[in-house]
């Protein structure tokens, strides 16, 4: 299972569309327990990536992730820009000179998620985007079946990760100040990550491997 970077323009467009189509719902989640600006910040970063999408499609995965990570760090405000940028920059470094089949990508993605954990001084279970990204990383490193099954399975894992945040007590960010009142709400960062993962998976499922 290997995919060319020529898919990047389509992948970026799919992610941007998924966030735009769900912007109101994600903003409502963020307004309930967060700062309320998560979607606006993310859309600004995705707009910058859309402007670069054709150029990115000509690069290697490592070079593309490097450029994307730097772009998100400079355009997305708040913690999200730093964390997502860290994910991509770490993946870029880990992917250098690697063949990115399923196993290779799983290892690269796991390294990116671990870097995010260190950057945010956070773990899964604290009502953040890690509650989607950590289970996805674990799933990708498990015994894989066919590519189609993996891409379907990763969507289910991401959706389950989002739902798991509802019952969690927030211990990071503004939501942490709400203490027990944060329980019963889905985390906006986790939701946006789930939307992006599902959008990427849908594009890859329809693409020739």
């Amino acid at each position: 299972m290997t995919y060319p970077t020529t898919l990047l323009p389509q992948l970026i467009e799919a992610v941007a569309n998924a966030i735009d189509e769900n912007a109101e719902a994600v903003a409502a989640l963020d307004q309930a327990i967060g700062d309320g600006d998560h979607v606006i910040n993310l859309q600004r970063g995705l707009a910058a990536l859309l402007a670069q999408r054709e150029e990115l499609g000509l690069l290697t995965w490592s070079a593309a992730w490097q450029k994307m990570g730097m772009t998100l760090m400079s355009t997305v405000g708040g913690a999200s820009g730093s964390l997502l940028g860290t994910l991509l920059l770490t993946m870029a470094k880990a992917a250098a000179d690697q063949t990115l089949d399923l196993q290779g990508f799983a290892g690269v993605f796991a390294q990116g998620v671990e870097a995010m954990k260190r950057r945010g001084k956070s773990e899964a279970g604290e009502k953040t985007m890690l509650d989607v990204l950590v289970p996805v990383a674990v799933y990708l490193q498990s015994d894989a079946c066919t590519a189609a099954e993996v891409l379907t399975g990763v969507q289910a894992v991401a959706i389950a990760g989002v739902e798991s945040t509802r019952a969690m007590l927030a211990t990071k960010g503004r939501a942490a100040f709400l203490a027990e009142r944060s329980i019963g709400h889905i985390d906006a960062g986790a939701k946006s990550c789930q939307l992006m993962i599902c959008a990427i998976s849908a594009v890859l499922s329809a693409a020739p491997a």
Side-chain angles (χ1 to χ4, degrees):
M1 174 181 165
T2 58
Y3 296 99
T5 53
T6 51
L7 282 172
L8 265 172
Q10 188 179 354
L11 290 169
I12 293 169
E13 289 167 10
V15 166
N17 288 339
I19 295 300
D20 286 346
E21 290 167 6
N22 293 275
E24 186 175 343
V26 178
L29 295 176
D30 194 32
Q31 289 162 3
I33 59 173
D35 294 323
D37 58 357
H38 174 68
V39 168
I40 293 173
N41 286 336
L42 189 56
Q43 287 176 313
R44 185 166 57 247
L46 290 171
L49 292 183
L50 281 169
Q52 300 172 352
R53 64 189 183 277
E54 298 302 331
E55 176 188 351
L56 290 168
L58 300 176
L59 303 176
T60 64
W61 282 109
S62 180
W65 285 331
Q66 175 76 22
K67 187 173 181 65
M68 292 167 70
M70 294 300 294
T71 297
L72 292 184
M73 279 193 164
S74 64
T75 57
V76 179
S80 295
S82 175
L83 293 171
L84 292 172
T86 295
L87 171 70
L88 289 167
L89 291 174
T90 303
M91 289 175 63
K93 183 177 180 179
D97 303 320
Q98 279 203 37
T99 299
L100 288 177
D101 56 10
L102 178 60
Q103 183 179 10
F105 173 78
V108 165
F109 183 73
Q111 289 184 56
V113 173
E114 286 299 315
M116 287 182 72
K117 290 165 65 174
R118 293 191 297 271
R119 184 65 178 259
K121 298 179 181 178
S122 186
E123 297 284 344
E126 295 185 297
K127 207 178 185 87
T128 72
M129 62 179 66
L130 288 174
D131 293 303
V132 168
L133 298 177
V134 169
V136 165
V138 171
Y139 173 77
L140 290 173
Q141 290 185 296
S142 64
D143 291 337
C145 298
T146 66
E149 289 170 328
V150 170
L151 290 170
T152 299
V154 80
Q155 294 187 49
V157 170
I159 291 169
V162 166
E163 186 56 38
S164 74
T165 67
R166 189 186 300 275
M168 291 178 184
L169 175 72
T171 60
K172 297 293 180 182
R174 182 173 178 179
F177 292 104
L178 298 177
E180 286 78 9
R181 286 180 293 161
S182 67
I183 297 173
H185 296 277
I186 285 174
D187 179 70
K191 182 60 181 179
S192 62
C193 282
Q194 174 257 308
L195 290 169
M196 292 189 284
I197 287 168
C198 288
I200 290 169
S201 178
V203 171
L204 296 181
S205 293

